[in-house]
Amino acid sequence: MSISYIKKKCFRALLPALMFLSFSALYAKSVPSWYGHQETLFPSEFYITAVGEGENRTEAEIDAVAKLSLYFRTTTDINNQLLKNYHEIDSDDGWEFSKKTKITERANISSQAEFLGVQFAEGFVLDGKFTLLAYIERAQAFSVYSQRIKTNCTVLESLLLVAEEYSNPVLGIEAARKTVPVADVTAELLKMARTVSKSESEDFDYADTLIQRAHTALQICGKNLVFRVEVTNDWNGMIFRTLSDLLEDAGYSLSSVDGICAIPVEVTARREDNATGIFLYCGIVVNVTGGNGETVFSYSRNFPKKGARTESFAYQRAYQAIVNELEATFINEFSAKIKK
């Protein structure tokens, strides 16, 4: 038997072992260090972790963040909605609300991960699934949450100065409506800060109080926002009915007895009679006042003359012109003013 033959035979015998060793080395190289050593590298005393799996990296991140959300006893959908309502920065008063109506799943999970303070360790493919580790560093997350809570408290204090002015619920309710989404996000941040904290302690009682005040302010302003419409020089109740319908359709409450906010309306109708008929030159002034009597909105219009051969038709035409203008412009101008 030749030496060459013996060498070939030995090589064939060793080939499976060599292939196994090569595959093992490649596998070991592709598997990140955290796999199998999660508690060692990311001890639960300092980290919150979750392993996510999916057909690709994006799906694995979504899975991991969803599991971390459950740790905080919340859901990605709820927090994404909160974040959507919370989007705020504005050049005038510092706050405005996002008008975005379409958010992709990728953007959703990115916003949620940032909100939770999630980081991702190196991923790899295991059993045909992309697998990765998501983690939150407790001390770093606590620091971030604490700062956000303090910032939000400053904003809540500013908004509540207007929202808790209960004698003027017209402006108060708009401030209260802006306050509540900030309060809801702050409540989530408080829950997260308390969850991640094991050794750090901070007094968040004041933040809890502000959150409660925000919801209370919205309830009280909503209860107080009742309008009392009073029209001088109306004709067959046309102006009263028009303004009442417009306000109710916009979601406001009316009461002739319990209305805290007054809406005095003055209609002028200068009459001119001649051989061809009866003519009217009309104008209207509408003021909206808070419970303290302060005027928060004014609206006025003057109209070209309208007339007819009979008194009834003349007044009908003149007042219908006022009605048409109110229906076209009043609520839009009123809403634009009080929601600034």
Side-chain angles (χ1 to χ4, degrees):
M1 185 178 295
S2 69
I3 294 175
S4 176
Y5 175 78
I6 293 173
K7 285 181 177 178
K8 287 181 180 178
K9 192 171 182 180
C10 289
F11 178 76
R12 287 173 184 160
L14 290 171
L15 186 59
L18 291 171
M19 291 177 66
F20 175 77
L21 289 172
S22 298
F23 178 78
S24 297
L26 182 64
Y27 178 75
K29 208 172 178 182
S30 65
V31 175
S33 57
W34 62 263
Y35 188 71
H37 308 90
Q38 190 172 319
E39 182 61 27
T40 302
L41 296 177
F42 296 92
S44 56
E45 182 180 358
F46 303 108
Y47 296 91
I48 299 169
T49 61
V51 176
E53 295 181 339
E55 296 298 322
N56 51 52
R57 183 179 184 88
T58 297
E59 290 187 8
E61 288 183 9
I62 290 171
D63 183 47
V65 173
K67 289 173 181 174
L68 286 173
S69 292
L70 291 176
Y71 182 88
F72 293 97
R73 296 183 182 177
T74 185
T75 69
T76 55
D77 287 343
I78 290 173
N79 273 347
N80 280 323
Q81 186 60 43
L82 281 174
L83 288 168
K84 180 181 173 184
N85 294 337
Y86 174 66
H87 188 72
E88 67 288 313
I89 305 302
D90 176 53
S91 59
D92 293 329
D93 58 6
W95 294 88
E96 72 174 4
F97 291 91
S98 174
K99 302 299 183 184
K100 295 176 183 176
T101 56
K102 187 176 182 181
I103 303 178
T104 64
E105 190 175 62
R106 174 71 258 173
N108 270 344
I109 205 64
S110 296
S111 296
Q112 179 69 9
E114 192 277 333
F115 186 62
L116 292 169
V118 179
Q119 301 179 67
F120 298 100
E122 183 184 356
F124 70 111
V125 177
L126 177 64
D127 297 331
K129 294 281 189 181
F130 193 92
T131 304
L132 54 70
L133 179 77
Y135 65 93
I136 297 173
E137 190 176 346
R138 290 182 183 272
Q140 181 181 353
F142 182 83
S143 176
V144 171
Y145 296 155
S146 296
Q147 186 55 51
R148 289 179 180 175
I149 290 166
K150 290 174 183 176
T151 300
N152 284 7
C153 284
T154 300
V155 175
L156 288 172
E157 288 172 335
S158 177
L159 289 170
L160 284 168
L161 287 175
V162 180
E164 292 180 332
E165 185 62 47
Y166 297 133
S167 63
N168 192 354
V170 180
L171 299 180
I173 197 165
E174 293 305 320
R177 285 169 179 162
K178 292 180 180 180
T179 306
V180 167
V182 182
D184 289 344
V185 169
T186 306
E188 287 296 303
L189 290 169
L190 282 170
K191 181 166 61 176
M192 292 171 188
R194 287 163 173 156
T195 300
V196 301
S197 174
K198 282 203 166 185
S199 57
E200 300 91 342
S201 62
E202 189 160 335
D203 184 7
F204 291 123
D205 290 346
Y206 183 57
D208 286 322
T209 300
L210 289 174
I211 291 166
Q212 182 58 51
R213 282 170 58 189
H215 286 274
T216 300
L218 183 60
Q219 292 174 357
I220 294 176
C221 285
K223 183 178 178 181
N224 288 351
L225 191 63
V226 181
F227 290 108
R228 183 177 69 256
V229 180
E230 300 168 342
V231 182
T232 302
N233 201 26
D234 204 349
W235 188 76
N236 287 344
M238 288 179 67
I239 307 305
F240 176 85
R241 285 194 301 273
T242 299
L243 281 172
S244 298
D245 289 344
L246 288 171
L247 289 165
E248 288 181 336
D249 289 345
Y252 297 107
S253 299
L254 301 177
S255 173
S256 59
V257 178
D258 302 322
I260 291 178
C261 303
I263 304 184
V265 183
E266 179 73 32
V267 180
T268 57
R270 183 170 62 84
R271 177 169 168 165
E272 181 183 282
D273 295 15
N274 58 42
T276 59
I278 299 170
F279 295 89
L280 297 170
Y281 296 85
C282 291
I284 185 171
V285 176
V286 182
N287 289 309
V288 179
T289 64
N292 56 4
E294 177 187 357
T295 299
V296 295
F297 173 70
S298 292
Y299 174 98
S300 63
R301 293 289 190 277
N302 289 307
F303 300 88
K305 70 176 182 178
K306 296 287 183 181
R309 286 191 173 278
T310 66
E311 181 179 81
S312 178
F313 282 140
Y315 276 85
Q316 174 68 36
R317 290 189 64 196
Y319 276 71
Q320 187 60 50
I322 301 174
V323 167
N324 293 343
E325 180 64 17
L326 288 171
E327 291 177 339
T329 62
F330 178 77
I331 284 296
N332 288 338
E333 292 186 18
F334 176 59
S335 298
K337 173 66 177 179
I338 67 174
K339 292 182 179 180
K340 280 186 178 180

